[in-house]
Amino acid sequence: MISKLDLYKVFCIVAESGSFSKAAKALYMTQPAVSQAMMQLERELDTRLFNRTPKGVSLTNEGKLLFEYVHSAIHLIDVGEEKILEFKNLTIGELKIGVGDTISRYFLLPYLEAFHNRYPNIKFKIVNGTTSELCSILKSGEVDIAICNFPIDDPAFEKLPCLDVQDIFVCGEKYKHTLPQPLAFQQLAKLPLIFLEPRSNSRKYVEDFILSKGLKISPEFELGSHDLLLEFARINLGIACVTKEFSLDYLNKGAVHEIQLLEEIPKRSIGICFLKSVPLSTAATKFVETIQLRDQGAGR
């Protein structure tokens, strides 16, 4: 059965062409089918829309009024369909990403650059926060994806690990020459420790691991920035717990020094999270693919 929208589309073509036969050719329909469709529309509206003559058809006053609205509505539908295609083809759109400052700086930037070079018309909205904060805004729909510290124990999320990272402890020159190495966790716990703030997922991961050894830590400093951890260690304010992969500049320049432990902290991951219940937008899907492809190329 022909839909009301289809009837209106036929109506517009007939009105523009002034002829059932011309409209039939344009629509790849038979002339009787076009005529029947317009009769159906007139019956449903209980209004005569066309003046029918041997030379063709013309709109009645009611038909002219209807044509103005229907023509505008169909034009808007066509524009909407074009916009959908633009979104699908990534010629317009917005990608909303939740990420912490450290991961953004040391992990995300090259992927943003690669994606922007390929899809320059996609706008980025970057929302910063801790892993727990990012999980909350992801559930609220404020961002499409979140890139954060694993592990995350939430069945609502699809989780794609991207990079394995190693938590280590570093110190400045003063402690380098005075500390016995390798250190046991019992020795480490007695030193002035520098950690991220308690809300940090990476802090919680290390703290839980040390707690599993029967030791509770009491940091001397709790900071909100990974770079500050490195700076505090560099000027000998204590022993900082940092992510090795994000500290290579300091380590390679000798600004800080890795402390060897009797037992390494198990590696964890940084990865992408998104809601299982909500399909990813085309832009978000392509961005996830960009990260995965580059990771495969880098052998991660």
Side-chain angles (χ1 to χ4, degrees), residues 137-152:
I137 63 174
L138 186 57
K139 285 184 174 179
S140 72
E142 291 180 50
V143 295
D144 301 308
I145 60 175
I147 302 173
C148 45
N149 290 295
F150 287 2
I152 296 173

Side-chain angles (χ1 to χ4, degrees), residues 5 30 40 67 78 109 122-123 128 141-143 146 156 194 196 200 202 205 213 237 239 242 249 283:
L5 178 59
T30 64
Q40 179 184 339
F67 177 76
D78 290 339
L109 285 180
I122 300 297
K123 297 178 181 178
N128 295 115
E142 291 180 50
V143 295
I194 307 169
L196 285 171
S200 163
S202 55
Y205 177 79
K213 304 299 176 183
L237 292 179
I239 312 301
V242 299
D249 282 349

Side-chain angles (χ1 to χ4, degrees), residues 43 90 107 115 119 121 144 152 180 197 219 223 245 286 298:
R43 283 196 303 271
L90 298 180
F107 174 77
F115 188 84
Y119 305 108
N121 295 319
D144 301 308
I152 296 173
E197 59 190 354
L223 308 173
E245 288 73 12
K286 290 296 183 183

